[in-house]
Amino acid sequence: MNSRPLALLLSVAAAAADRSSSRPLLLVRGGASSSYPGAGYVPPQRSYPGGGYVPVQQQPQQQQPAGTMSDAERVYVAQQFAMPAVRRQFLARVYSTVLVQVLLLAAIMAALRGAPAVAYRLMPSAPAFLLLATAPALAIQFAPRLAETAPYGHLLLAAFTALTGVGIGAATMPLPADLLVRAAAATAAATAAA
């Protein structure tokens, strides 16, 4: 028996029962929350005998840091990812992106092998190319808004792949080509088995 849903339900019930906490149960993007307003709360626009309305003090809105998801959004994403069709679509997208990267890397390595004079001139700089490849990778990691913007995310990924390809291609130039093909085949077989 899976006790995860039961544990989640019990923790939500315990949090709802503990009204002494000022933390809201759920936060929604835009500042809305499920805060319990406390004793003496009068809903807005409630009229009383004798006419008039009682003014209601607004609760301060909590703003979330940029790039974070609210609790409700996390639950929605988890529910969506639990569906097999969504999970398959996500995995297909990830694997197709990785496939394009591997093909681009192989093309760069083949181009360097086709021009050995260029490859041997780049060989001493191979570590520098691999170090430079961390710049787009770090930009993707630490600037998520930039990485999610339409052309920039793909450009950063292409720059990472190209710099990695030049670095690996130059570094592996002294190795025999059949050794590289066997290593690539072993990696592909291990990935397909996983």
Side-chain angles (χ1 to χ4, degrees):
M1 178 179 154
N2 189 357
S3 63
R4 182 178 270 175
L6 181 61
L8 180 63
L9 182 62
L10 288 175
S11 65
V12 168
D18 181 23
R19 293 187 175 149
S20 63
S21 170
S22 63
R23 252 183 71 205
L25 184 60
L26 287 176
L27 291 176
V28 181
R29 187 168 288 168
S33 70
S34 63
S35 303
Y36 177 72
Y41 176 74
V42 178
Q45 305 296 320
R46 184 166 179 184
S47 63
Y48 287 93
Y53 295 97
V54 176
V56 177
Q57 184 178 7
Q58 294 291 327
Q59 295 291 325
Q61 293 186 354
Q62 296 181 357
Q63 295 296 324
Q64 291 181 285
T68 60
M69 290 193 314
S70 68
D71 295 337
E73 289 170 323
R74 275 193 207 95
V75 168
Y76 176 76
V77 168
Q79 288 173 344
Q80 291 298 310
F81 201 70
M83 296 170 30
V86 172
R87 194 169 42 245
R88 275 192 303 272
Q89 182 183 14
F90 172 77
L91 290 175
R93 187 174 178 188
V94 168
Y95 279 118
S96 64
T97 302
V98 171
L99 176 66
V100 169
Q101 283 185 282
V102 169
L103 291 176
L104 180 61
L105 187 116
I108 292 171
M109 290 176 68
L112 285 175
R113 287 205 170 260
V118 174
Y120 281 114
R121 287 191 80 190
L122 291 176
M123 198 179 342
S125 304
F129 280 106
L130 292 172
L131 189 61
L132 277 174
T134 61
L138 289 174
I140 290 170
Q141 178 67 30
F142 294 114
R145 289 185 187 243
L146 178 68
E148 291 171 359
T149 306
Y152 301 115
H154 293 97
L155 290 174
L156 288 170
L157 198 57
F160 168 76
T161 305
L163 289 169
T164 303
V166 170
I168 291 175
T172 59
M173 190 61 193
L175 300 175
D178 64 330
L179 178 67
L180 297 176
V181 170
R182 285 196 320 241
T187 303
T191 304

